[in-house]
Amino acid sequence: MAEEPNSELQQPSASGYRQHFLRDVIFHGKFRALSSEESTSCHHGLFFLDGQRRVDYILTYPLRKSGGGRSSRQSDQSLTENLSSCNLSHSKQFKGGSTVADVEMGCLGETFNSHEDQKTFRREEFEKHLKDMGLELEKDEEAMIPGLGFVMIHAPWNVLCREAELMKLKMPTKKVYEVKESSSMMKKISSLVNKVLEPLHPNVEEHHFKNIKHLSHSFSREKQHLFDLSDKDNFFDSKTRSCIVFEILKRTKCKAKYSMVNSVGITSLLGSGVYTAAYPLHDGAIEESAEPNDRKLLYEEWANYSVFFKYQPIGLVRKYFGEKIGLYFAWLGLYTQMLIPASLVGVIVFLYGCATVDDNIPSMEICDPKNNITMCPLCDRVCSYWKLSTACGTARASHLFDNPATVFFSIFMALWAAMFMEHWKRRQMRLNYEWDLTGFEDEEDHPRAEYEFRVMQKSLKKDKKSPLKMEKLTCSDRLPAYMTNIVMMLLMIGVTFAIVFGVILYRISTKAALYMSSSPTTRSHVQLTVKTTAAIINLVVILILDEVYGAVARWLTVLEAPKTEKNFEERLIFKTFILKFFNAFSPIIYIAFFRGRLVGRPGRYLYVFESYRMEECSDGSCLMELCIQLSITMLGKQLIQNNLFEIGIPKLKKLIRYIRSEQGAFQEEERQKKLRRYETDHFLEPFGGLTPEYMEMIIQFGFVTLFVASFPLAPLFALLNNIIEIRLDAKKFVTELRRPVAARAKDIGIWYDILRGVAKVAVIINAFVISFTSDFIPRMVYLYMYSPDGSLHGFVNHTLSYFNVSHFEHGKETMDPMPYGYAVEVCRYKDYREPPWSPTPYEISKEFWAVLAVRLAFVIVFQNVVMLMNDIVDWLIPDIPKDISQQIHNEKILLVELFMKQEQGMINIPERGTSSSIKETHRRSHNNNNSTPTPPFSKEQPNGTNNF
């Protein structure tokens, strides 16, 4: 493209863009005739009518139903007239409170015919300001979507250069160098590994040039000679161009001259309905017949289930969607990679349980009918006595998850979480180097429209005579919102607990009802039926409340009115995580730590509402039920919420938008016409942010780490889900969503802190699960303190107490006192209590206190040992790889050489540097005492494709 005039603000006049276009064609020959390829691109909506200027951004707005037919693409001819009339009305002075009623008006004191007139004026004024900023606009009001107009925005070269300099974008210079391995041995090893892993790499260009890297430097118009500007059309890629345009849209003011309050940014205009949508365009189609483009390449090499075994092309993802989305998929890929060893160890632990189940002495004692142990009824009246041998299947199944290897696996998973966090820090630093984010600092966001509106309301209430004086929201202004947040958060958590309590009542009442059944089959499967149905009910409630809590968290965050988008996002994430965490894990926490411990004893049970007896674990251990609840909740959320919802809901919304656009009313021949790119993208689902994607993975991370002692197969199911999840999310981003605006980010933000918090809590919870939920500690205490032969023989009998059935409360005894043809005089129950013939009958025995002391000691020792091991791992693994720090240091030296040659007038910059050049420059730099400090960033593989 030819370079624009030097003046950055020299733009076409408001009298119309068409005259400006014809003038350039006639007098300057600026635009040549369209080739067939350019005509096709123009027809597809990727370029302006001239076929040269790329469409960088799209704004859509509603058309008046009574509006006449204007030309297909044009600049707004009524802009000048409206602004002139507005200026005339604005010249009249306004007094006192009369201005308050006109805050939302385009001109003070002017009465519009309708609300649509206000929107039209604000839109025209906003577009005028965009032109003043240097952007070029073109309209299409005769699109194939009825009632919708499109504004196409193009950023010319001078605007791109100006904004790139203001945004401090790092761009590649002409200087290129080859990254060399630190030693020949490392080079050979790296070459061998690359050959072995070659089939796993995606077929993208970045993989083939992984050892070549451009030196990057913040773009400067004064130093344009440092950059390769031979192809100005492609120097700024489509992602960067749309990001620059969006930055202009965010800060462009509307009504700056004609009202007391500045409405800043496209966000406020979208919220008020002036525009209905704003989005950048996808690069092209993904069909096989489409021209090659990055989107099509992503679809073939990334968003495809047939390449599930390959690494992700993270560099290409970042190039197309930006650093923030690239970091998410890099994190998800690393998390999935790290699940492989965790899954293997979990499967080994499970297989160990399967191999030793026949040798497990407690299970053998339970299953041995010769023991003839009669257990006390599990409920009042309708439940009868039962033999311990009937719990044989449950006891054997519990051993699969409750065995000595479980303790090892819990320690391993705690260290795994620490390794994962450290590995991610290193990976994140590497990506910062690869993506030229070294030295990048988060810029302060523009104030949100809702915040400015609240500030405006405060200013108007405080001083109606001078409403132009804007203030800030103080803590006292937000106090009602804060109190509402606290009350509502506690209320929602209380709702979660109430639902858990309701499920408890369901289990108690359903168990009693099933025991009254006349069918022997029904009575024999009461426990399994109640456990499974309760777990399914919990899953359904969790899925429903997840959606409710997401909406409540957003409403509470809006009520707070955070100043910037970053503050809004962080507060929303925190509230959503707290609510969804309690929602997902409250039933599991109840089963793990409370069920079976708030029961009482035979003859003195605890009751709810004086009629519902608190439930106990049928086989003496709640671990199996915990495993059932955890597996159903985890698998159900992954299958239904994370996968089916992600596939079905976007397609359903797309269908609804298609129907609402009255496509069905089109004639057949019109329906056959191919939509232009901006029309096709309009039917896609708007990008709603990465919060739902991160949230589902963080909750899954909780399932994998928090209660892994009770379900060693959790990492395996998470791995299988994530292999599908990566491709599902990729396909959604490439085919189902509008292209997001590229956002720069150097880390995953608050999500890292949440991950660290979950990993710390996981250590404590697993310690309590092993100590209080499983029988590991009672077995160890019996083995080393009470066993007569140093084995577990007699352990089951040791954990069961005696109860004289004549001591049942009146009306609570069973209706079937002789289920085996003889009267039962003594039944057994799991607890450490004195027998009825003791001087202190049914009092807690000394064995209980011994086991409790060992349990608490184990929690303290386990927690501190694992935490210490985590700290050791954190200390041993540096956040910044040494070789990558050296590479950044070498880049600094090459940049110094580049600027030194510039100062000395050396125009011819070498196109390629080598390791010898680096060493020579290093020597010269030290001779001149110009050493450069090593920056705190690192790099792993320049291709950025080392994730699943």
Side-chain angles (χ1 to χ4, degrees), residues 450-465:
E450 292 83 354
Y451 176 83
E452 292 188 328
F453 181 72
R454 290 278 296 274
V455 172
M456 178 197 70
Q457 287 182 322
K458 177 184 177 182
S459 301
L460 292 177
K461 290 180 181 179
K462 186 174 182 180
D463 192 355
K464 294 185 177 181
K465 294 184 179 181

Side-chain angles (χ1 to χ4, degrees), residues 603-722:
R604 191 175 291 178
Y605 285 113
L606 297 179
Y607 291 88
V608 180
F609 304 134
E610 298 183 356
S611 58
Y612 294 99
R613 190 177 112 186
M614 290 299 293
E615 55 185 346
E616 55 185 306
C617 303
S618 59
D619 60 345
S621 174
C622 287
L623 192 68
M624 192 60 200
E625 184 168 351
L626 175 62
C627 179
I628 293 175
Q629 179 68 60
L630 185 64
S631 59
I632 291 180
T633 304
M634 179 180 178
L635 297 179
K637 278 180 65 66
Q638 291 183 164
L639 179 63
I640 298 175
Q641 188 178 47
N642 299 354
N643 293 331
L644 294 182
F645 283 8
E646 287 191 11
I647 296 174
I649 290 181
K651 290 186 179 297
L652 181 61
K653 290 182 178 180
K654 182 178 179 180
L655 177 62
I656 293 175
R657 282 193 302 274
Y658 186 83
I659 295 175
R660 285 181 176 178
S661 66
E662 302 176 4
Q663 287 286 323
F666 281 3
Q667 296 180 359
E668 184 64 23
E669 58 179 0
E670 291 179 330
R671 201 161 44 228
Q672 295 296 330
K673 293 180 180 179
K674 188 173 183 180
L675 294 174
R676 287 180 283 263
R677 171 51 48 197
Y678 52 85
E679 296 169 323
T680 304
D681 287 1
H682 177 76
F683 288 111
L684 300 178
E685 176 75 8
F687 175 63
L690 290 171
T691 299
E693 314 298 335
Y694 273 114
M695 187 64 66
E696 67 184 60
M697 289 295 105
I698 296 296
I699 297 297
Q700 184 201 84
F701 182 78
F703 282 119
V704 169
T705 56
L706 291 177
F707 294 92
V708 73
S710 62
F711 190 41
L713 296 180
L716 175 63
F717 289 115
L719 173 64
L720 297 177
N721 173 81
N722 287 3

Side-chain angles (χ1 to χ4, degrees), residues 128 190 211 236 332 458 486 491 561 638 711 740 759 799 889 891:
K128 176 184 179 298
S190 177
N211 292 327
F236 296 104
L332 181 57
K458 177 184 177 182
I486 295 174
L491 177 62
Q638 291 183 164
F711 190 41
T799 59
H889 184 66
E891 279 201 4

Side-chain angles (χ1 to χ4, degrees), residues 9 41 44 52 85 98 171 187 247 251 308 439 548 576 587 656 688 703 708 839 850 935 948:
L9 299 179
S41 299
H44 291 171
Q52 288 186 322
S85 62
S98 62
M171 304 301 295
K187 183 177 181 180
E247 187 67 24
R251 70 170 188 261
F308 74 92
V548 175
T576 306
I656 293 175
F703 282 119
V708 73
F948 266 98

Side-chain angles (χ1 to χ4, degrees), residues 234-295:
N234 297 316
F235 180 74
F236 296 104
D237 56 19
S238 59
K239 176 258 299 183
T240 306
R241 297 174 68 96
S242 62
C243 182
I244 289 175
V245 174
F246 181 68
E247 187 67 24
I248 297 175
L249 292 175
K250 283 197 303 183
R251 70 170 188 261
T252 299
K253 298 181 179 181
C254 183
K255 304 190 303 177
K257 298 181 179 179
Y258 311 116
S259 81
M260 66 189 71
V261 179
N262 294 337
S263 180
V264 181
I266 186 64
T267 306
S268 61
L269 297 180
L270 289 170
S272 59
V274 176
Y275 292 99
T276 57
Y279 52 91
L281 294 180
H282 281 292
D283 278 357
I286 58 176
E287 291 79 12
E288 293 184 2
S289 59
E291 298 178 1
N293 58 77
D294 286 343
R295 186 191 185 198

Side-chain angles (χ1 to χ4, degrees), residues 13 170 219 259 281 290 342 472 474-475 549 721 778-779 787 910 941:
S13 65
K170 281 192 173 183
F219 186 82
S259 81
L281 294 180
K472 296 181 180 180
T474 61
C475 292
Y549 287 165
N721 173 81
R779 289 173 186 169
S787 175
Q941 294 179 358

Side-chain angles (χ1 to χ4, degrees), residues 529-552:
T529 303
V530 172
K531 291 176 185 178
T532 306
T533 55
I536 294 175
I537 291 174
N538 274 323
L539 172 63
V540 173
V541 171
I542 287 172
L543 294 178
I544 295 174
L545 288 184
D546 265 355
E547 303 301 321
V548 175
Y549 287 165
V552 170

